[in-house]
Amino acid sequence: MVFELSDQASQGFKNASSYDTHRPSYPPEVVDALLAQLQVKGVPNARIVDLGAGTGKFTQLLAVREEKYDVVAVEPHEEMRKALSAKNLSAVDVVQGCANDIPVESQSVDAVVAAQVGSSQYIIVVVLEVMVSGISLVKEGPSPLFASNSLDADGTRFATDDALEEIYRILAPGGSFGMIWNVEDYNAPASWEPTSKWEATMKEIMWSYDDQRPRFRHDLWRNVFDKQLSSTPFTIQAADPLFSLPLGTSSVKFMHWLHPDAIWQRFQSLSQISVLKGDELAGVKDKVFAAMSASSAEVNEKGELPLHGHVVYTWTTAVPGAPIKEGG
């Protein structure tokens, strides 16, 4: 299979080194909690697929665990894969792949994790919609996680139930699927109230450059979650669910003191901002720094600002013996 990313994905994550430098990692206690929910905490040599591994922010945390996990890091973006491979992480196999074509044997994985993957909202939507309605779900927008041949002729659609079946295919019976995000206040869903005025202004800037490609802040998975909670037992029974209902979900607040330059680099690493050029990018930078220098902004003795957000994680378990199509 030939993997071709959308132009936005290719360009938005082209500077893998900058992404790796400025994107945050995950708190150890949250990683512990997620791995416990995925039933692999304390399990020696458990096999885990890091789906959409990027430059390996989450992969690194798996690689240094005392369980000595066997990790398969699946990433479609060439520059991201190179950056991850260059880290030479122990017991980590870095491979090219995507959510609907994972180069792993059937029923050979204890857990699948999608960390900070903008397109993993698609996966969550799939998990819920397919479990509840049993329909073949098609959503707008190509994703870095999905192979080009899963798109329709116009290049803007993909059959997302294929991804769900592929994830289910590689999981051992009773295996688990988890997702985790760092969600800064400025990159959060519209309904979330920012902690400070300057973060609220940055959130307005972020949303003004929204490209309509589903991300965590669009809250699509929560909408579908609400829908599945209102479903009748008959609806759920008729769906032949691949994964357990309802999804587990939890979040933990964070606050980091960062210099304005570091906050800008972090903000600029987001794909819809990183694709901007010239005067447009300079204009966004001016607005961001104006927000951070507002008189209402709290600053410590080092000139750093408190950056707020949430680490959000969710999990579900594969239903043993659920019917899926042959192959994968």
Side-chain angles (χ1 to χ4, degrees), residues 100-313:
N100 57 356
D101 188 32
I102 304 171
V104 173
E105 301 84 0
S106 297
Q107 297 190 347
S108 66
V109 173
D110 298 296
V112 175
V113 180
Q116 202 67 26
V117 181
S119 52
S120 52
Q121 290 77 267
Y122 289 122
I123 301 172
I124 302 173
V125 170
V126 173
V127 170
L128 294 170
E129 283 286 9
V130 175
M131 285 192 297
V132 171
S133 64
I135 64 172
S136 175
L137 180 66
V138 177
K139 284 287 180 184
E140 296 287 349
S143 156
L145 273 181
F146 292 83
S148 61
N149 68 356
S150 69
L151 305 177
D152 289 343
D154 64 359
T156 61
R157 289 176 174 268
F158 57 84
T160 50
D161 53 331
D162 289 344
L164 176 63
E165 292 186 354
E166 181 69 348
I167 293 167
Y168 183 88
R169 177 188 69 80
I170 68 172
L171 282 171
S176 300
F177 174 38
M179 294 143 281
I180 183 170
W181 303 264
N182 282 304
V183 185
E184 300 91 343
D185 277 8
Y186 60 68
N187 196 24
S191 61
W192 293 18
E193 189 70 27
T195 305
S196 66
K197 290 184 179 180
W198 69 268
E199 288 167 306
T201 301
M202 287 183 63
K203 184 176 181 179
E204 292 174 0
I205 297 170
M206 174 63 67
W207 276 96
S208 72
Y209 283 90
D210 186 59
D211 54 16
Q212 302 304 311
R213 295 176 185 271
R215 295 177 172 85
F216 181 87
R217 67 172 179 267
H218 293 94
D219 238 2
L220 292 180
W221 71 282
R222 290 191 181 277
N223 293 340
V224 181
F225 186 54
D226 291 341
K227 177 180 177 181
Q228 67 96 29
L229 285 177
S230 65
S231 300
T232 66
F234 175 78
T235 304
I236 295 175
Q237 184 178 3
D240 286 326
L242 300 182
F243 290 86
S244 61
L245 289 165
L247 292 181
T249 185
S250 187
S251 67
V252 177
K253 291 183 179 181
F254 67 75
M255 189 277 283
H256 305 306
W257 288 97
L258 293 175
H259 190 274
D261 289 337
I263 293 174
W264 164 245
Q265 293 296 337
R266 187 161 168 170
F267 188 85
Q268 188 185 8
S269 72
L270 297 170
S271 60
Q272 68 271 34
I273 304 299
S274 66
V275 296
L276 303 180
K277 304 293 182 183
D279 291 343
E280 189 173 22
L281 180 60
V284 172
K285 184 176 181 179
D286 288 344
K287 292 178 182 178
V288 168
F289 274 89
M292 292 188 291
S293 62
S295 59
S296 60
E298 179 185 2
V299 181
N300 68 12
E301 66 278 3
K302 297 180 181 179
E304 299 169 328
L305 287 80
L307 183 70
H308 301 88
H310 292 76
V311 182
V312 181
Y313 58 103

